[in-house]
Amino acid sequence: AGPHTGGIGMVEKVNGESLRTIRELTLFDMDEILPLYAAVGWTNYTDRPEMLKNALEHSLLVLGAYDGDRLAGLLRAVGDGLSIVFIQDVLIFPAYQRQGIGTMLFGALMERYPEVYQMELAADDTLESAAFYQSLGFRRDRDIGCCAFMKM
């Protein structure tokens, strides 16, 4: 772990070669993080890098998925860690998508907050997104008698 990381030590060997780790990020190298947001087209953040840096610094938890020393993905959670954890951002570089990195990030998050009352997220309304989040135990709000509201 480099100077910008803390102590989550989930490690996975992929194809017997590449070492992937999940690290808690506590200091934020924007030269490392901004290209990830750009690669997935999240221009609201890339157009306002200071806002993103402040948001990262005030988050409940930020996890980075690394392939060696290269950032491959990121998960950002907000909330109090007791009654709610809201997964605000989940981003994986396109070249790393569908390789288990998102599952590793969520596993580390769930391990960190096993007793939280509710975990929530908002995602793109696609069959692929729904299948992924449902595979992790999430349910659509309407399936549990709820509805969601947003103001953007």
Side-chain angles (χ1 to χ4, degrees):
H4 62 290
T5 61
I8 291 178
M10 185 179 257
V11 176
E12 180 180 296
K13 272 219 182 232
V14 178
N15 299 327
E17 298 175 8
S18 185
L19 193 61
R20 299 220 173 130
T21 59
I22 303 297
R23 304 176 192 162
E24 179 179 352
L25 304 183
T26 55
L27 299 174
F28 305 102
D29 179 352
M30 299 310 288
D31 290 334
E32 174 181 66
I33 293 170
L34 281 171
L36 174 56
Y37 280 81
V40 297
W42 288 17
T43 58
N44 181 52
Y45 294 103
T46 58
D47 291 347
R48 302 176 354 181
E50 283 304 312
M51 181 273 296
L52 174 57
K53 186 169 187 193
N54 285 330
L56 291 165
E57 290 170 349
H58 290 90
S59 296
L60 176 65
L61 179 67
V62 180
L63 299 173
Y66 284 83
D67 182 11
D69 289 331
R70 182 169 194 259
L71 182 67
L74 182 140
L75 181 148
R76 179 168 77 94
V78 298
D80 57 33
L82 300 168
S83 67
I84 187 163
V85 170
F86 189 93
I87 297 97
Q88 177 62 34
D89 299 340
V90 180
L91 310 91
I92 311 296
F93 269 109
Y96 285 99
Q97 291 175 3
R98 304 197 57 78
Q99 296 181 29
I101 292 171
T103 301
M104 287 177 64
L105 285 165
F106 272 91
L109 175 71
M110 292 175 188
E111 185 177 295
R112 178 75 171 262
Y113 300 104
E115 302 297 322
V116 69
Y117 176 68
Q118 59 188 351
M119 258 187 209
E120 296 182 19
L121 60 91
D124 293 334
D125 191 11
T126 66
L127 291 175
E128 186 177 71
S129 288
F132 174 68
Y133 294 118
Q134 288 169 340
S135 77
L136 297 171
F138 288 86
R139 296 170 54 198
R140 289 184 177 271
D141 58 352
R142 67 177 175 254
D143 294 341
I144 56 174
C146 295
C147 65
F149 297 90
M150 292 183 160
K151 182 177 181 201
M152 297 179 72

